[in-house]
Amino acid sequence: MKEIERFINDGNRHFSFEVLPPLKGNGTGSLFSTIEKLSEMNPSYINITTHHSEYVYKELEDGHFERSRVRRRPGTVAIAAAIQNRFSIPVVPHVICSGINKDDIEYELLDLQFLGIENLLLLRGDKAKEDSRFTAVPNGYEHTTELQEQVNRFNEGFFIDGTPIKKPGKKFHYGVACYPEKHEEAPNPEMDLQYLKMKQDLGAEYAVTQLFYDNQKYFDFVERARKAGITIPIIPGIKPLAKLSQLTVVPKTFHCDLPQELAQEIVKCKTDEDAKTLGIEWGIHQCEELYEAGIKNIHFYTVSAVDSVAQIAKKIL
């Protein structure tokens, strides 16, 4: 079943949320605690992020440093299986280009298909922090659109080398990301929309936005997208502020602006608890305004903000 289409079109208020796989060796306790806390509000689905690898530097005996990739978190497939085994909430794993090659993506698709998971979010993934630009691994992809083409071919019944799949399973349905305030690497907002239009034309069935704090920027983005011929649902992504440090960290990390009204209130906060309370109030305001504008589906980013998301969801649903 196309879970996203089901809840987008039923006219009711819905929310979904994203979780991050635990660091290697930490187990699933914290992850399951997050899901249990938010499952009380009947989420429509759970996004599972993925981080295939990241760079680390090891000092050699001669004083030089060797850069290599290491994996610090379990894969999306394992986490998806664990969540499916314990909860009756649909999962939508991320499948990304970063740190993985075409053959590994193919096995990831096979594993997800064996698990009966039909809904994906296809992303390029982040560049390494040390790199000035995104660099694909050997035999990997630079762009989400290339990843979409592989998934499309898999859906058509062909492996990456062109070999027919003897017994094709159910087809995958997928969404993509979009950026109300422009992707950091896009030269301008117009070209950023061109990329989103390409993703739609290749088969994306919906898009989820990067987090934002100014609803007007979301409304303006949707309006520009519609004028550009983008017709797929555009689901707003919300992440409540939870710490004083996020006044500067969030805009830098996620390349988004804080509205002046919010920024002025944050600087009045004396403690992280003050900032958390403000973040919840602002999140409720954002969601209620989105609902009033006819948006029925809201996606939450939960990292460092699980309690805040739970409080917002209880208030708005």
Side-chain angles (χ1 to χ4, degrees), residues 34-297:
T34 293
I35 296 172
E36 286 166 356
K37 184 172 294 186
L38 295 174
S39 64
E40 298 174 6
M41 278 69 74
N42 192 31
S44 297
Y45 69 91
I46 300 172
N47 261 155
I48 308 168
T49 68
T50 187
H51 298 269
H52 287 295
S53 60
E54 54 193 271
Y55 286 118
V56 296
Y57 291 85
K58 179 181 179 181
E59 187 173 5
L60 305 177
E61 291 182 359
D62 60 5
H64 288 84
F65 285 86
E66 178 182 66
R67 187 172 83 160
S68 60
R69 284 184 176 270
V70 298
R71 293 188 62 176
R72 297 191 183 278
R73 298 180 187 273
T76 297
V77 175
I79 296 301
I83 293 174
Q84 277 202 154
N85 188 51
R86 180 159 177 152
F87 302 94
S88 57
I89 304 172
V91 291
V92 181
H94 291 189
V95 176
I96 67 175
C97 305
S98 178
I100 190 171
N101 64 38
K102 302 173 186 179
D103 295 318
D104 290 333
I105 290 170
E106 184 166 272
Y107 278 105
E108 202 168 79
L109 295 177
L110 284 167
D111 287 343
L112 290 168
Q113 196 173 65
F114 290 154
L115 287 170
I117 294 171
E118 303 170 31
N119 299 281
L120 312 173
L121 191 68
L122 304 186
L123 308 166
R124 189 199 69 178
D126 297 331
K127 65 180 178 64
K129 295 179 181 179
E130 301 85 355
D131 292 345
S132 60
R133 61 179 297 275
F134 180 86
T135 303
V137 300
N139 196 36
Y141 295 129
E142 293 279 350
H143 305 288
T144 304
T145 49
E146 297 171 303
L147 174 58
Q148 287 181 258
E149 290 171 349
Q150 177 170 352
V151 174
N152 291 345
R153 286 290 287 164
F154 191 91
N155 280 344
E156 292 166 0
F158 294 93
F159 290 120
I160 191 66
D161 63 359
T163 304
I165 302 173
K166 293 181 179 180
K167 294 183 179 180
K170 291 184 178 180
K171 294 183 178 181
F172 290 109
H173 302 279
Y174 58 82
V176 293
C178 62
Y179 304 85
E181 298 177 67
K182 188 180 81 64
H183 190 279
E184 61 172 312
E185 297 173 24
N188 55 61
E190 291 73 26
M191 189 163 288
D192 206 24
L193 282 176
Q194 289 180 26
Y195 296 145
L196 181 56
K197 179 66 162 57
M198 290 172 61
K199 294 176 186 178
Q200 173 186 271
D201 294 346
L202 279 168
E205 298 173 10
Y206 64 97
V208 182
T209 75
Q210 175 63 283
L211 59 88
F212 61 89
Y213 296 91
D214 185 342
N215 282 353
Q216 191 57 51
K217 292 190 175 182
Y218 168 79
F219 295 139
D220 291 345
F221 173 74
V222 173
E223 182 179 359
R224 291 189 292 108
R226 300 307 180 220
K227 290 179 179 178
I230 297 165
T231 60
I232 57 176
I234 298 175
I235 300 172
I238 302 296
K239 179 178 175 63
L241 294 172
K243 297 179 181 179
L244 283 171
S245 60
Q246 292 176 341
L247 172 63
T248 54
V249 171
V250 166
K252 180 180 179 181
T253 303
F254 298 101
H255 308 281
C256 65
D257 292 331
L258 299 183
Q260 182 66 4
E261 179 184 355
L262 176 59
Q264 288 177 333
E265 291 302 314
I266 293 176
V267 297
K268 296 177 185 177
C269 295
K270 302 299 183 183
T271 65
D272 281 345
E273 191 61 33
D274 291 340
K276 179 180 177 181
T277 299
L278 174 62
I280 292 170
E281 293 172 353
W282 190 267
I284 291 171
H285 163 72
Q286 272 196 278
C287 293
E288 289 181 339
E289 188 175 63
L290 289 166
Y291 283 140
E292 288 172 5
I295 306 300
K296 299 299 184 183
N297 308 284

